[in-house]
Amino acid sequence: MNRPLLFLDVDGPLNPYAAQPERRPDGYTTIRVPQDSGTPDELRGLSARRRPLRVWLNPEHGRSLLQLGYELCWATTWMDEANRWIAPVLGLPELPFVDFGDALFQDRPDGVHWKTAPLVDYANGRPFAWVDDEQSDLDQAYVTAHHHGPGLLHHVNPRMGLREDDFRTLADFARSLNTPRTTG
């Protein structure tokens, strides 16, 4: 059986961007990412003179993520840039990423997050967990209606980032997929 997918958002789960700006969380390191490091589409409207983006990352998260038993996949606006800036700090190999294409930042009239449908399409029925700080009940309802396999949408507080409880929840979900189901 294939391992389940773990869709990883960067800002919120891995980078607790909403933490107190003057106090880096314990165990985290700071990287500065130039604002001009993205693709031309990502840079649209950004001034080349903007200060570098401050990103807080916990190097221990990479090891913890690799031990969960998932196939890791970036599900972030960073897309492939996460392999350049985030993966090395976390000690992760180059990971596949979801290319959001035209869905990037496009609000949907039904209130479902713009990432949700592309993630369901990418999973293509395969079990997955998605860690992000922006999912809602509407996203869970969409996954339930359109994904033909188990899917865990796990919200992470963007002030705290991934914590031990989050890793336990993800490990429990992965283990539950290996439990034989009995019919009655």
Side-chain angles (χ1 to χ4, degrees):
M1 177 176 142
N2 285 340
R3 294 181 299 163
L5 289 165
L6 177 54
F7 290 124
L8 293 169
D9 183 29
V10 170
D11 296 316
L14 296 173
N15 170 28
Y17 68 89
Q20 295 178 2
E22 68 279 355
R23 186 165 178 268
R24 181 177 62 205
D26 290 340
Y28 284 74
T29 189
T30 302
I31 65 169
R32 302 280 179 188
V33 178
Q35 292 283 357
D36 62 353
S37 69
T39 67
D41 286 339
E42 293 167 334
L43 297 174
R44 218 174 345 187
L46 294 179
S47 166
R49 294 190 300 198
R50 289 182 73 180
R51 292 187 342 210
L53 178 65
R54 180 213 69 204
V55 179
W56 286 330
L57 298 170
N58 185 331
E60 293 298 312
H61 283 167
R63 182 179 49 78
S64 298
L65 289 165
L66 290 170
Q67 293 175 346
L68 289 173
Y70 288 86
E71 180 181 317
L72 305 179
C73 181
W74 296 119
T76 174
T77 58
W78 290 73
M79 291 192 274
D80 193 35
E81 287 292 300
N83 284 315
R84 177 178 177 193
W85 295 101
I86 308 304
V89 177
L90 299 180
L92 294 174
E94 185 170 319
L95 301 176
F97 65 96
V98 178
D99 184 343
F100 292 106
D102 292 339
L104 189 66
F105 297 121
Q106 295 301 311
D107 287 334
R108 292 174 49 118
D110 59 2
V112 171
H113 193 281
W114 58 265
K115 288 182 184 178
T116 307
L119 294 180
V120 167
D121 291 345
Y122 188 99
N124 194 26
R126 187 170 168 191
F128 73 84
W130 170 26
V131 293
D132 206 308
D133 62 315
E134 297 183 346
Q135 308 116 323
S136 72
D137 291 341
L138 293 171
D139 301 301
Q140 184 62 64
Y142 183 94
V143 169
T144 300
H146 296 92
H147 182 63
H148 303 294
L152 170 69
L153 278 62
H154 185 72
H155 182 270
V156 175
N157 185 328
R159 289 190 170 107
M160 309 207 351
L162 285 168
R163 314 279 287 209
E164 286 304 314
D165 285 350
D166 300 307
F167 287 107
R168 269 193 296 280
T169 297
L170 293 167
D172 290 347
F173 178 72
R175 272 192 301 278
S176 77
L177 299 172
N178 294 325
T179 303
R181 302 187 197 289
T182 58
T183 56

